[in-house]
Amino acid sequence: DQQVKQNSPSLSVQEGRISILNCDYTNSMFDYFLWYKKYPAEGPTFLISISSIKDKNEDGRFTVFLNKSAKHLSLHIVPSQPGDSAVYFCAATASGTYKYIFGTGTRLKVLA
Amino acid sequence: NAGVTQTPKFQVLKTGQSMTLQCAQDMNHEYMSWYRQDPGMGLRLIHYSVGAGITDQGEVPNGYNVSRSTTEDFPLRLLSAAPSQTSVYFCASRGQKNEKLFFGSGTQLSVL
């Protein structure tokens, strides 16, 4: 049973527009969520995170929203750039468990 | 600062062979972990360690052994490789007070 789900395997967006990547989770014990970006033949790199005590966190062009009642988080990228083309993974963890559960990833393609 | 270093980058094994994937970090992180990435499956946790001498199983531990004799190193051993272990392997670490995981660049393993 997958505890963290990214239901969109791929997404294409025009340069300059908003990219919205979604992630759902089932385990109510998760209290910290992270987004990672991965280019081919490289390791995932940290993008942005959010604690369950917040519902929004911003870092430049990237904003993560958390809806705890719906067990849903989303990553907004505004404006999208061709260099944002990559696979994006969401991950969740519960404090003190040291176990991170990752989604299956969404491949974002930003069209110039 | 090298971060998380994985060796080798590529490896081809025959069924039944053994090998060790190396992982080292120079950030004095207590927590280290191994993930495998397979198409459509995301990143799945194999084993993790919260400090020297302490290891525990993740989601998919079968066929893999780990040990943690030093803070810096966390090798992953395949005692008898199987084709099902063909995958990309990532090592990750984090500090005790920060939930952000840092990943290595990965090892692409093929078992024939």
Side-chain angles (χ1 to χ4, degrees), chain B residues 13 33-34 37 48 51 77 81 96 100 103 111-112:
Chain B
L13 292 177
S33 55
W34 279 100
Q37 184 192 8
Y48 66 98
R77 298 184 186 85
Q96 192 171 26
K100 187 168 77 173
F103 282 87
V111 183
L112 306 177

Side-chain angles (χ1 to χ4, degrees), chain B residues 4 23 31-35 90-94 101-104:
Chain B
V4 180
C23 176
Y31 173 86
M32 296 185 73
S33 55
W34 279 100
Y35 288 84
F90 291 100
C91 179
S93 72
R94 57 159 269 202
L101 280 177
F102 294 83
F103 282 87

Side-chain angles (χ1 to χ4, degrees), chain A:
Chain A
D1 181 33
Q2 201 152 14
Q3 298 184 67
V4 177
K5 297 180 182 178
Q6 293 178 257
N7 291 319
S8 298
S10 63
L11 175 68
S12 290
V13 172
Q14 288 290 331
E15 180 179 7
R17 305 295 292 270
I18 184 171
S19 294
I20 300 176
L21 293 86
N22 294 304
C23 180
D24 297 294
Y25 63 96
T26 57
N27 189 338
S28 58
M29 297 300 292
F30 291 148
D31 58 3
Y32 198 83
F33 305 88
L34 309 92
W35 284 94
Y36 281 81
K37 177 179 179 180
K38 186 183 181 303
Y39 293 119
E42 295 184 10
T45 55
F46 172 78
L47 198 55
I48 192 168
S49 62
I50 188 166
S51 164
S52 61
I53 63 173
K54 296 184 176 180
D55 54 19
K56 177 182 174 181
N57 189 27
E58 282 182 89
D59 185 1
R61 297 186 297 114
F62 303 93
T63 303
V64 56
F65 295 91
L66 175 62
N67 182 334
K68 289 184 289 294
S69 60
K71 293 188 176 67
H72 176 83
L73 63 155
S74 60
L75 173 68
H76 293 209
I77 306 174
V78 184
S80 300
Q81 300 173 353
D84 296 330
S85 296
V87 177
Y88 290 77
F89 291 98
C90 68
T93 186
S95 297
T97 65
Y98 298 99
K99 289 187 177 182
Y100 291 71
I101 306 300
F102 282 78
T104 52
T106 295
R107 183 178 301 276
L108 173 66
K109 187 171 185 179
V110 180
L111 307 169

Side-chain angles (χ1 to χ4, degrees), chain B residues 58-97:
Chain B
E59 302 170 79
V60 288
N62 293 338
Y64 307 95
N65 282 351
V66 292
S67 60
R68 183 96 179 269
S69 56
T70 68
T71 301
E72 295 78 18
D73 300 297
F74 191 44
L76 179 72
R77 298 184 186 85
L78 286 70
L79 297 179
S80 179
S84 61
Q85 294 178 305
T86 294
S87 188
V88 182
Y89 291 85
F90 291 100
C91 179
S93 72
R94 57 159 269 202
Q96 192 171 26
K97 296 183 179 179

